[in-house]
Each structure stands twice: as C-alpha cells, then as structure tokens.
Amino acid sequence: MDKTILSRLQKLNQLSLSDKEEESVLAFFADREAECEALSAIDTEKVERMVHVLPILTVVREDKEIKTFTRDELQKGAPETEDGYWQVPRLVE
Amino acid sequence: MKYETVIGLEVHVELATDSKIFCSCSAKFGGEQNDHVCPACCGMPGMLPIVNKKVVDLGMTAGLMLNCDINRTTTFDKKSYYYPDLPCSYQTTQWFAPVAVNGLVEIETSKGKKGVRIKQIHMEEDAGKLVHDDWTDSTLVDFNRTSVPLCEIVSQPDLSSAEEVVAYLERLRSLLRFAHVSDCRMEQGSMRCDVNLSVRPEGSNKLGVRTEMKNMNSLSAITRAIEYEVARHIDALENGTEELVQETRRWDDIKGKSFAMRNKETAGDYRYFPDPNVMPIVIDDEWFDKIKSSLPEFPEVKKSRYVEKLGLSEYDAEQLVQSRALCDCFEEACEVCGSPKDVVNWIISDCMKVLNRKQMTLDMLDISGKALGELIVLVNDGKVSRMNAKKILDAIFEGEENPATYAEKQGFIVSNDTGAIEAIIKSVVDSDPKSVQDYKSGKEKALMALFGKCMRELKGNCDPQILKKLLLECVEKA
C-alpha cells in the first residue's frame, strides 16, 4: 500500500481522508502486509481452500413467486418518487 | 501490415425462473414500474438474501451443456457498484468459486470447426432500469429487474471475427434454449453480450489494447460493432488517428459508431469480497446426478437422428432443433401418428402460418404434440378435410387437447353417406346449368366452380377425391 493506491481507493470508495488519517491508514496496512508476508511463508500446497469462516451451508428456497409488498408500501419512506419510480439526482449528463 | 483480431465475450443470459435470485418477487419481464419489488431487492437495511434453488440448478445445467467442470462448492461474493439500479451499492455475484469453469463450445463457420474455451459461468443478480428524465432533470429508478437471476458466461479470447462471434452466440442460444436455461431473447434483453476486442500484428504473441463494447441487442448490431471497432483500432495503429486506451465503449447502432463511456475498471477496482450473507452452497452427488440425468439430447445429436432415422431433410431437421419445445412437440406428435414427414410438414407450413398471424416465431410454438398427432391421424384417415383441419389446428393453438371430440362437436367429421352427398351435388348442378354447359364445352374452371359450391354446401365435410368423382358423374349425366 502506498499513497497512489490509497488515493485510488479513496476515489473508488468516495472517501476523502485528511493527511493524518492517510498516515494512520498507511501504517495500519503496512502492519497487515507484514502479517500477510509472514503467513505466506507457510506451505499451504495441500491445504484445501477455506470457502467460509463458518462451517455452515446456505439454505435454498423453491422457485415460487410470492408477492409480499406493494409499491406504495415500499415507497412510503422514499425521499422522492415520480410516477411509481424512485427519483434520484440525475446520473448522466 | 496484416492484423489479427482477438475477441473474448461476456454473455449474460436471464435464467428461466418464476422468482428472483434472492427473494420471491416475480422475475417476469416487464410489468408496471416497481411492481415486482420487496424490501430485499430494494436493498432495505437488514434484509437477507435466500438463494433460489432453481438458479443453481440452471447454473449447473448451463455449465454441463457447455462442457464445464462444476464447482461442487460454490460461493457468492460482493462486487462494489455505485449506481442506483442496484440499491445495495454492490452486486451479489460469484468471483472466487463460480458454479462452472473450464468449458468448451464447438462452433462452425465458413472456415470450418473451432473450439471456444469457456473460462467460467457465474450466477449473479441483474441490475434495475434507469430512466434519465429531461423534464424533471433527474434519474428515475425501476427495481423490477433488480435481482432477476443471470448467468454470465465468460469465454477465453479465442474468437477472431464477427462471423465467429455470431456462430458462438447462436450456438450458446441453441444449447441454453434446449436445456430450458433461458429463452435467450436478445430483443427483450434476456441475452446480452459485451465484446472485449483488441487488434495485433498477425503472428504476434502480445495482445493489443483492449476495449469493451456494450449495448448491443442483435446479432447484426454485434457484427456491425465489431467491424467498426476493428477498423478503428487498425486506423489508430497505422495512422495514429487516436491513442487507443483500455476503456468501456457504447455502441450506437443508429450512428454506426462506438463512443467512450468510461475507463475500463480492472477486477481490483471492483473490490470483490465473500458475501457474508450467503453461506457456501455444496452440490452433493444426489443433486449433481439429478441435474446431469435431466440434460437433453444435444441439438446436433437430435438433428442427425431426425435425418438418419426419421428420414427428414437436413433443412427440416435444422428448423426443428431451433428449440426444445419444437422438438418435444414433433416427437410427441410422431408417437401418436407415426408419420414424421407429415408432422414436420404440419409444423413448418400450417403451424408457421398460425404463428405468423400471431406475430410469433417457430421457436415459440407451444401446443400439445399429442393433439397435433391426433389431428394428423384424422386428416390421413380422411375423417376431416384439410380445410376443417386448419380450423381444428386454430383450436389446438387456443388449448384444445382433443381434436376428435372438437371435430365432432363442430360437425367437422367427413360424411360417408354418399347418398346425401349425391343429393347435394345434384341440387348444385341443377341450380347452375350454365357452369355445366361451360364445362361440357371445354372450360375446366367451370367444374371447379361447381366443386367449390358443393364443398360449401357440405361445410367441407367431404373427401375431396370422392366429391370430385361423384360430381363428374353427375355433370356427365346432366
């Protein structure tokens, strides 16, 4: 992690860190990178990839259409609506 | 200098489910805006996704149809995405363990056969629809399509021309329709294609600058877009007309040009991470075997069987294997009437006419094959005339499943009572002496006029050969 990558990440995440915050984040990542490097020294050739931290599987549901809400109920809390649409600030020029 | 084109495709197909991938809302195309929505697909806080089993079934089916290996433990991941058509600010997709990997699809073009490698197939949710409203200077959001299930099929960059791309897409469409994975209707957006394209000097091992093109909804538009983009790349390389950059471009089919949309994101920009809300899916042997045993006979295998064993022409067999429903209808009808050639003629001519009237295509044929077979038996046995058979076919299109009962009710069963037929012929002949005279003086058409009158009087319920024979006898005597 360096300032260039951090700047790119800020742009992608729509964040704006102060100089002090940047320093703190860079130091945090430097520590984590060191930990990762230490871990990468371990031979994991024959270790099966962990797919999830919890040893449980998902439940699945049958493909059945059920209408649970009306549009009006869902749009009660919407700041702006127009003709049944949610209305948001203009996205493209 | 000679150049070669390198193309890889990302093809999205909407899966044929009734409900969405992570909630029970309708996955149907269209509907009033925001009518197929619930708190889960609207991204309301605290809502959790529950996986639709059929999506995994269809993901596996797609993988097996495209000769992929199935990941028996498959997981969902979050892909960062900051547009309001996906209200969670991420798309739930698959990155680390997609449902299928390492496939192969064989295509055929004017240059012969070729294998196209499939990198992976992953299941994911679709985004909603955005309408940019000039009147209110705002963007309007419709979440009906949000979370409709998709499979994205990612090929390796093995394609090198528009012709190969079209052959590949047609092959995918045929295989996926056959397995009932998707209806693959490009015009409705249930099959969409992003084209990753670069150009390099022939023989070079180094890939050129790659651009990705979006917004193409027909095979002809894809062909035009590829041809334009290849010319643009070569022009830039040879004449320095512009600097090629890695970017996403939008194809405008009306202007016949592509336009830069945004700099192409790399995988790292999407910041994929395992979705903590969806636990891993383990496909056990029972589940896997069930899907594998449900796979249909491949279209080309079916086509060969139709030609070699049932005696159909290559053309007729090719028409049938456009869709599984068509093949199912054909095979069911053959079982009932035992005459494949009659069935294919009925499907390709008579059924096609009804479909045309309904502005539908042959692959949309959805009638009972058993009923069609029974109708053909009625016609071949001379029990209903061709004229009335067409009316019965219309009824079959409306859901009639018993043509014999329907024919009886409508009075369409051909009369075997020659006495009654002769009586009607005599009354027609007696009432039109001019036509009789005309025929006798050599005007063949006059007999056809009398024939038509008799058939009308008989309401079509007479074997045309018998009618013609009895009519001739009657006219000779008159």
Side-chain angles (χ1 to χ4, degrees):
Chain A
M1 175 69 71
D2 58 23
K3 281 208 164 197
T4 314
I5 297 173
L6 186 56
S7 161
R8 173 97 182 118
L9 276 175
Q10 286 187 64
K11 196 177 164 200
L12 286 169
N13 287 292
Q14 300 180 355
L15 293 172
S16 179
L17 302 180
S18 66
D19 290 350
K20 201 175 165 191
E21 284 169 329
E22 279 192 4
E23 264 176 41
S24 155
V25 168
L26 287 171
F28 173 84
F29 273 103
D31 288 347
R32 300 292 83 72
E33 276 174 36
E35 286 168 8
C36 289
E37 268 170 35
L39 285 172
S40 66
I42 302 166
D43 180 9
T44 56
E45 184 98 350
K46 289 176 184 165
V47 180
E48 202 176 322
R49 188 178 79 92
M50 186 185 76
V51 289
H52 205 277
V53 288
L54 298 173
I56 50 175
L57 304 177
T58 195
V59 289
V60 290
R61 65 179 172 80
E62 291 306 312
D63 179 33
K64 193 175 170 192
E65 179 196 329
I66 306 168
K67 189 166 176 68
T68 51
F69 276 76
T70 66
R71 179 172 68 192
D72 290 346
E73 283 175 295
L74 284 165
Q75 291 188 335
K76 267 182 191 166
E80 300 284 348
T81 61
E82 171 76 27
D83 192 24
Y85 292 97
W86 269 267
Q87 192 174 25
V88 298
R90 193 179 178 91
L91 198 68
V92 292
E93 290 300 315
Chain B
M1 187 185 286
K2 277 194 166 181
Y3 292 90
E4 62 183 11
T5 308
V6 180
I7 301 170
L9 293 188
E10 292 165 20
V11 178
H12 289 90
V13 293
E14 270 182 10
L15 299 176
T17 61
D18 291 331
S19 62
K20 292 186 177 180
I21 183 169
F22 297 123
C23 66
S24 301
C25 289
S26 169
K28 281 192 192 79
F29 174 74
E32 286 230 340
Q33 54 269 32
N34 292 309
D35 197 35
H36 305 163
V37 289
C38 74
C41 56
C42 283
M44 300 283 184
M47 299 309 299
L48 290 174
I50 303 176
V51 177
N52 181 344
K53 180 174 174 289
K54 193 171 177 191
V55 173
V56 187
D57 289 347
L58 295 178
M60 266 196 277
T61 305
L64 291 169
M65 290 300 286
L66 307 187
N67 301 302
C68 293
D69 299 325
I70 302 299
N71 264 330
R72 300 290 281 268
T73 301
T74 184
T75 52
F76 280 96
D77 307 290
K78 289 184 175 184
K79 175 183 181 182
S80 300
Y81 179 93
Y82 288 119
Y83 297 95
D85 49 2
L86 272 177
C88 290
S89 285
Y90 58 81
Q91 179 189 31
T92 306
T93 179
Q94 296 197 287
W95 179 254
F96 297 106
V99 66
V101 292
N102 302 330
L104 188 73
V105 172
E106 195 172 74
I107 60 166
E108 191 166 4
T109 64
S110 56
K111 289 184 181 165
K113 288 186 175 172
K114 175 177 181 175
V116 179
R117 292 168 302 153
I118 303 293
K119 184 180 173 220
Q120 66 177 58
I121 300 177
H122 54 264
M123 307 175 284
E124 63 185 18
E125 59 180 333
D126 204 348
K129 194 172 88 178
L130 298 176
V131 182
H132 304 295
D133 184 13
D134 289 331
W135 186 254
T136 56
D137 196 28
S138 63
T139 295
L140 306 174
V141 192
D142 177 8
F143 289 130
N144 279 353
R145 203 178 59 186
T146 302
S147 269
V148 165
L150 297 176
C151 259
E152 181 174 338
I153 301 159
V154 184
S155 83
Q156 296 286 4
D158 290 348
L159 297 152
S160 57
S161 68
E163 187 194 5
E164 285 186 3
V165 168
V166 170
Y168 170 75
L169 289 171
E170 282 177 342
R171 179 77 180 139
L172 281 191
R173 185 165 63 182
S174 166
L175 291 171
L176 299 177
R177 276 184 178 171
F178 240 76
H180 293 166
V181 169
S182 168
D183 61 9
C184 296
R185 297 200 175 284
M186 291 193 99
E187 72 283 3
Q188 287 186 1
S190 64
M191 185 179 195
R192 308 192 288 268
C193 172
D194 299 340
V195 178
N196 289 297
L197 180 148
S198 64
V199 166
R200 64 182 173 192
E202 206 169 69
S204 165
N205 290 327
K206 203 179 155 202
L207 287 167
V209 174
R210 176 166 56 97
T211 54
E212 179 179 353
M213 264 188 306
K214 291 181 178 287
N215 198 32
M216 287 165 292
N217 61 1
S218 72
L219 295 178
S220 54
I222 290 168
T223 302
R224 286 190 288 275
I226 289 172
E227 284 166 357
Y228 171 86
E229 198 61 6
V230 169
R232 188 179 73 86
H233 279 238
I234 292 175
D235 201 25
L237 293 173
E238 289 213 321
N239 306 319
T241 45
E242 62 182 304
E243 190 193 349
L244 292 175
V245 289
Q246 187 176 331
E247 63 186 357
T248 302
R249 297 178 72 85
R250 178 178 62 86
W251 172 248
D252 187 324
D253 204 37
I254 295 167
K255 291 182 179 150
K257 284 182 174 180
S258 67
F259 295 92
M261 276 170 76
R262 56 178 186 263
N263 287 339
K264 171 71 185 156
E265 296 90 347
T266 59
D269 291 348
Y270 291 129
R271 288 147 297 141
Y272 288 96
F273 65 98
D275 188 335
N277 296 328
V278 191
M279 297 298 122
I281 297 167
V282 171
I283 299 161
D284 59 22
D285 288 348
E286 191 187 349
W287 191 357
F288 180 80
D289 292 343
K290 193 177 165 198
I291 297 299
K292 198 161 186 200
S293 64
S294 71
L295 294 182
E297 188 179 29
F298 275 52
E300 62 277 10
V301 177
K302 229 181 230 305
K303 187 181 159 188
S304 302
R305 183 163 62 82
Y306 288 172
V307 172
E308 285 159 21
K309 295 200 173 156
L310 303 182
L312 302 192
S313 68
E314 287 271 336
Y315 174 81
D316 287 348
E318 182 65 39
Q319 295 294 306
L320 290 177
V321 299
Q322 294 303 311
S323 101
R324 169 103 170 264
L326 205 53
C327 293
D328 289 348
C329 175
F330 168 74
E331 289 179 16
E332 250 180 78
C334 286
E335 237 172 69
V336 174
C337 76
S339 177
K341 284 186 180 167
D342 281 335
V343 178
V344 79
N345 286 340
W346 271 87
I347 289 179
I348 290 175
S349 64
D350 299 273
C351 293
M352 191 67 205
K353 281 179 195 154
V354 182
L355 289 166
N356 280 342
R357 276 207 313 269
K358 293 172 177 282
Q359 295 186 315
M360 292 160 77
T361 50
L362 198 53
D363 62 284
M364 291 156 95
L365 183 72
D366 182 25
I367 59 168
S368 158
K370 183 172 162 282
L372 179 63
E374 285 175 5
L375 173 62
I376 294 169
V377 170
L378 287 174
V379 175
N380 289 354
D381 289 352
K383 289 185 177 163
V384 295
S385 65
R386 283 290 298 197
M387 189 177 90
N388 285 333
K390 287 177 184 174
K391 293 178 187 163
I392 301 170
L393 183 64
D394 281 339
I396 292 173
F397 267 82
E398 298 305 319
E400 177 59 54
E401 290 189 351
N402 195 331
T405 314
Y406 181 80
E408 256 178 53
K409 271 189 205 162
Q410 298 295 321
F412 288 163
I413 298 295
V414 165
S415 170
N416 290 323
D417 182 353
T418 48
I421 298 168
E422 281 169 340
I424 288 174
I425 292 173
K426 188 164 186 319
S427 76
V428 169
V429 168
D430 289 347
S431 67
D432 191 356
K434 188 178 178 298
S435 291
V436 174
Q437 201 51 49
D438 286 350
Y439 174 68
K440 284 187 171 173
S441 59
K443 291 183 181 168
E444 283 287 328
K445 275 186 180 173
L447 186 72
M448 289 316 294
L450 289 167
F451 180 89
K453 280 185 184 174
C454 292
M455 197 51 113
R456 268 197 299 280
E457 288 294 320
L458 288 158
K459 294 182 177 145
N461 298 326
C462 183
D463 184 323
Q465 296 304 323
I466 292 173
L467 176 61
K468 194 174 177 189
K469 181 174 166 283
L470 295 175
L471 176 63
L472 271 172
E473 286 172 7
C474 186
V475 169
E476 296 299 338
K477 281 184 210 160

